[in-house]
Amino acid sequence: MTSTTSSRTTAAGGPPGGPPPGTLPISLPARARWAVSDSWTVTRRYLIHWVREPSYIVWGLMYPMVSVLLFGYVFGSAMVVPGGGDYREFLLPGMFGMTMMFGIGNTMMGVTTDAAKGIADRFRAMPMARSGVVVGRSAADMLNSVMDLVVLVGCGLVVGWRAHGSPAETLAGIGLLLLLRFAFIWVGIYMGLIAKSPETAGNLYALLFPLTMISNAFVAPEMMPGWLGTVAAWNPLSSTVAAIRELFGNPGLGGDSWIAQNAMLMAVVWPLVIVAVFLPLSVRRYRLARR
């Protein structure tokens, strides 16, 4: 990366954020190439860090594994699914979606930890694309999320969950889960950038519990009190979970509200809206930090 950044400084007299007066501007294609290169460099940095610190990956995978086994076996025999069906098959799509949402906390903690260690400041001091840092972080987290999902599906098969849809429907369901995770990555990056310390990020992490519980992940919204059921139904997590239950052929479909009847549509719309809001906010926040 040293030779690359040196050539940029020579070509433009400064970082890609904007050359000083009197120098030739950097072309748009060159900016795009540098942004992609910087994003991949940052992605590799996180992947290498995880390889050198395998405990991070192990503990990250332990939570979804324990959650599936705990909820599947401890509560599985006591819960009733509206319309009938096995509770474990009702539960697992909710657990898949919940794990994607809890990724907000992992991303947030990673961003604040980098800031506390001065890594973010070193990135800012280098002549690199400002978007490369946040895009690289999102790419690394997506790769980590794929691994989480593979482990979760394996645990689900152990406790009796099955996807009864066609291979194409199963892949579409996994795609919706990863789309939701991609959207929540940008929420986590933004929250990590505005958090003042890892301790503050840890406190914000606690807010994820009510956001995941007030959804259809564990209990159908129609079994909740009226107002709470409405809030749960309009939770973006609920739309994705309802959609993948339909694609996987799992029990728990129902609800007469508009949001319940259009879960497949909203499972795409919600993540796109979240990305449209938080991606530019994250990039802008990173550019303005410590300016």
Side-chain angles (χ1 to χ4, degrees):
M1 186 169 179
T2 304
S3 60
T4 305
T5 54
S6 298
S7 64
R8 297 178 201 182
T9 306
T10 302
T23 59
L24 294 175
I26 304 174
S27 66
L28 184 60
R31 286 178 181 269
R33 288 196 302 271
W34 290 342
V36 171
S37 174
D38 291 339
S39 298
W40 172 239
T41 299
V42 175
T43 301
R44 287 183 63 251
R45 180 255 173 189
Y46 287 116
L47 296 178
I48 292 171
H49 174 72
W50 291 338
V51 170
R52 292 177 178 174
E53 296 289 341
S55 60
Y56 176 89
I57 297 177
V58 172
W59 286 110
L61 295 177
M62 285 296 294
Y63 174 76
M65 292 171 60
V66 171
S67 297
V68 168
L69 297 175
L70 176 65
F71 283 96
Y73 284 113
V74 176
F75 301 116
S77 59
M79 302 294 290
V80 177
V81 180
D86 182 69
Y87 180 71
R88 292 190 185 96
E89 290 209 340
F90 171 86
L91 171 68
L92 262 297
M95 295 298 300
F96 297 158
M98 186 191 75
T99 302
M100 297 298 100
M101 191 170 194
F102 266 110
I104 293 175
N106 297 333
T107 302
M108 181 171 55
M109 289 297 295
V111 172
T112 54
T113 300
D114 281 353
K117 292 180 177 180
I119 295 173
D121 289 338
R122 288 199 290 273
F123 280 140
R124 292 189 188 97
M126 298 173 68
M128 62 185 297
R130 296 295 179 253
S131 61
V133 178
V134 290
V135 172
R137 176 80 221 189
S138 68
D141 281 355
M142 282 300 296
L143 293 173
N144 189 39
S145 299
V146 171
M147 185 164 49
D148 286 345
L149 204 51
V150 169
V151 172
L152 272 175
V153 169
C155 291
L157 294 174
V158 170
V159 302
W161 170 81
R162 295 293 183 272
H164 303 289
S166 67
E169 289 174 328
T170 301
L171 290 175
I174 293 174
L176 288 178
L177 286 167
L178 294 177
L179 177 62
L180 184 72
R181 177 67 180 109
F182 179 73
F184 285 148
I185 281 174
W186 293 103
V187 178
I189 290 176
Y190 181 71
M191 293 177 67
L193 289 171
I194 64 175
K196 301 299 183 182
S197 65
E199 290 75 18
T200 303
N203 294 331
L204 293 174
Y205 193 101
L207 298 176
L208 294 174
F209 285 93
L211 290 176
T212 55
M213 294 300 177
I214 305 176
S215 69
N216 64 356
F218 300 100
V219 180
E222 53 266 29
M223 298 180 66
M224 302 178 185
W227 66 271
L228 189 61
T230 301
V231 173
W234 282 88
N235 187 334
L237 174 62
S238 294
S239 294
T240 296
V241 171
I244 63 175
R245 281 182 180 138
E246 180 178 348
L247 291 168
F248 292 157
N250 295 146
L253 302 178
D256 298 325
S257 63
W258 183 91
I259 190 70
Q261 295 296 319
N262 293 273
M264 199 73 67
L265 169 66
M266 296 307 296
V268 176
V269 171
W270 275 126
L272 293 180
V273 170
I274 293 171
V275 171
V277 172
F278 284 95
L279 191 155
L281 283 177
S282 298
V283 174
R284 182 175 183 273
R285 180 72 186 185
Y286 181 80
R287 286 174 174 170
L288 294 177
R290 301 292 181 89
R291 178 172 288 185

